[in-house]
Amino acid sequence: MKQRILIVNSGGDCPGMNAVIRAIVKRAKQESKWEIIGSINGFDGILSEPLEIMPLTQKSVEGIHTQGGTILTTNNKRNPFSYPVKQADGTLKNEDVTDKLIYNLKVFGFDAVIHIGGNESHKISLKLSEKGVNIVGIPKTINNDLSITDYSFGFQTAAQVATEAVDKLITTARSHNRVLILEVMGRDAGWIALHAAIAGGANVCLIPEIPFNMDKVVKKLTSKYSTYGRGYANIVVAEGAHFKDEEGNIIQGSIARKIAAKLREINFEADVRETILGHLQRGGTPIAFDRILATELGVKAFELVLERKFGTMAIHQNSKLSHMDLEKVINQYNKVDLSHNLIHTAKGIGISFGD
């Protein structure tokens, strides 16, 4: 009999997820006794009645590494430890359905689970491992906020999309003597903003790790305009950035609009416009870096299953493939360290962080 692995995506989508799926399937093909099955829409697939699962074959994964998103679909609101269950009166109540999940894994012959997700997803991985599930994790997030791995796939593509947006906005800012504000994703980590600001040549970079002073931002912007009001400036701001005297409030578009409103309140000399990049950073074709990283991690995850090293995550650390126990991986949030060389580099070329 063949042994079966269930692949589960959870959390937000990001470029490279299909490359991971393909890598697992292609590596499994080299072994004679393994069958790879995908769970549709995160944990929904293994919890549905009947199951919503998809056999993953060489043919079904052919060429998918160039595609964004995931052929299995995903979600970030279906935690099996707090899962929406319809009650007799038609209402939904969140319940722990992991006993049902474990039962289904056993009854349908799954020997292991490979779970592709970010920090919150792998808190689920750890808890399932503690309940006896043979599980291996793969790090996935555009935010690059998992500290145990050098990079999480999806990040470099998101940073590239953000950089291209800065490139385009600089040309229109220059043409109209404007201040243009670009808000990017990242939640509580400023990696996308920092990379895009340096690569794109922004004048101001605002990140969650450095609460900013609006007066300092205005001073930098003013320096980009002549006495005749000619000039231009570009700001890249992470969605989790916040003023020095305020807490962060991650609502898409919120911080960019607040900064624009502050500039208009003081009658800043230039026209100010904001752009919210949003989910453009999550979609589209993954760049080569993310395809390769995702493929490496997919192969490594399958081999961890072969070696029965469950309760671990495949990682890329110090430019080498490795693995680490899940309990050591989660809760180590990878924020931008203020001593990081990119902070020094950005300041060295005159980018202001508003501090």
Side-chain angles (χ1 to χ4, degrees):
M1 290 180 62
K2 286 196 173 185
Q3 293 180 282
R4 306 179 96 195
I5 292 175
L6 184 72
I7 298 179
V8 180
N9 296 319
S10 68
D13 67 308
C14 79
M17 292 176 82
N18 281 327
V20 163
I21 295 167
R22 172 179 174 269
I24 295 168
V25 173
K26 290 182 78 66
R27 178 61 183 86
K29 179 67 174 176
Q30 298 180 28
E31 308 294 328
S32 59
K33 296 183 179 180
W34 289 92
E35 182 181 18
I36 310 299
I37 307 292
S39 179
I40 302 300
N41 201 39
F43 288 99
D44 280 359
I46 191 64
L47 290 167
S48 297
E49 297 178 6
L51 299 190
E52 292 184 287
I53 57 177
M54 172 183 176
L56 295 167
T57 64
Q58 294 286 303
K59 186 174 181 179
S60 66
V61 302
E62 186 175 347
I64 66 170
H65 61 294
T66 65
Q67 302 170 18
T70 165
I71 61 171
L72 297 178
T73 70
T74 187
N75 69 76
N76 57 6
K77 300 182 184 299
R78 314 285 278 185
N79 181 342
F81 287 93
S82 183
Y83 193 84
V85 176
K86 185 173 284 189
Q87 306 299 302
D89 62 0
T91 61
L92 293 176
K93 180 183 177 183
N94 286 344
E95 298 179 1
D96 184 342
V97 295
T98 53
D99 287 343
K100 177 182 178 181
L101 187 156
I102 292 168
Y103 175 81
N104 284 351
L105 289 173
K106 182 177 180 180
V107 167
F108 291 96
F110 288 105
D111 300 278
V113 175
I114 294 180
H115 188 196
I116 305 166
N119 190 61
E120 293 303 313
S121 295
H122 289 305
K123 290 178 182 178
I124 298 171
S125 298
L126 176 60
K127 291 171 74 174
L128 287 174
S129 176
E130 291 170 344
K131 291 194 72 168
V133 176
N134 293 335
I135 195 165
V136 169
I138 295 179
K140 173 268 326 170
T141 169
I142 67 167
N143 302 331
N144 201 43
D145 55 8
L146 282 163
S147 62
I148 214 69
T149 188
D150 294 338
Y151 290 103
S152 52
F153 71 83
F155 166 70
Q156 293 287 358
T157 301
Q160 181 66 32
V161 171
T163 298
E164 290 171 0
V166 178
D167 292 345
K168 291 176 172 65
L169 291 174
I170 282 177
T171 62
T172 190
R174 181 189 297 124
S175 298
H176 290 276
N177 297 296
R178 283 178 175 152
V179 172
L180 292 186
I181 305 166
L182 176 69
E183 182 180 313
V184 301
M185 286 181 166
R187 293 201 63 77
D188 294 313
W191 293 109
I192 296 175
L194 182 57
H195 279 70
I198 294 173
N203 309 108
V204 176
C205 178
L206 305 176
I207 59 177
E209 295 84 351
I210 306 177
F212 62 92
N213 183 314
M214 197 62 201
D215 290 339
K216 298 287 182 66
V217 173
V218 171
K219 182 178 178 181
K220 178 64 178 182
L221 298 178
T222 302
S223 72
K224 301 301 297 181
Y225 285 85
S226 71
T227 54
Y228 300 103
R230 292 175 185 160
Y232 66 95
N234 285 75
I235 299 172
V236 177
V237 56
E239 61 185 350
H242 55 95
F243 300 101
K244 264 190 175 178
D245 55 349
E246 292 184 8
E247 293 293 323
N249 183 22
I250 301 175
I251 300 173
Q252 201 170 89
S254 172
I255 188 61
R257 293 187 183 103
K258 283 183 180 179
I259 294 168
K262 292 274 189 185
L263 291 172
R264 291 175 187 127
E265 280 175 18
I266 64 170
N267 295 315
F268 190 77
E269 59 186 307
D271 189 18
V272 180
R273 303 289 175 89
E274 63 269 19
T275 298
I276 317 303
L277 197 52
H279 286 77
L280 285 171
Q281 294 154 96
R282 290 195 177 279
T285 302
I287 64 173
F289 184 99
D290 282 335
R291 295 184 207 181
I292 294 167
L293 177 59
T295 301
E296 285 184 306
L297 292 171
V299 169
K300 180 65 176 178
F302 178 79
E303 291 174 350
L304 289 172
V305 172
L306 282 184
E307 296 163 11
R308 301 193 64 78
K309 292 180 178 176
F310 301 121
T312 64
M313 178 187 288
I315 61 172
H316 202 277
Q317 193 176 58
N318 300 322
S319 300
K320 293 181 180 179
L321 282 172
S322 185
H323 68 280
M324 189 164 288
D325 292 345
L326 285 165
E327 61 185 355
K328 295 180 180 178
V329 172
I330 63 173
N331 296 323
Q332 296 190 46
Y333 199 76
N334 185 31
K335 291 192 173 187
V336 178
D337 191 311
L338 301 191
S339 63
H340 195 280
N341 63 289
L342 286 182
I343 295 288
H344 177 77
T345 297
K347 290 185 174 182
I349 58 173
I351 294 176
S352 170
F353 290 93
D355 57 344

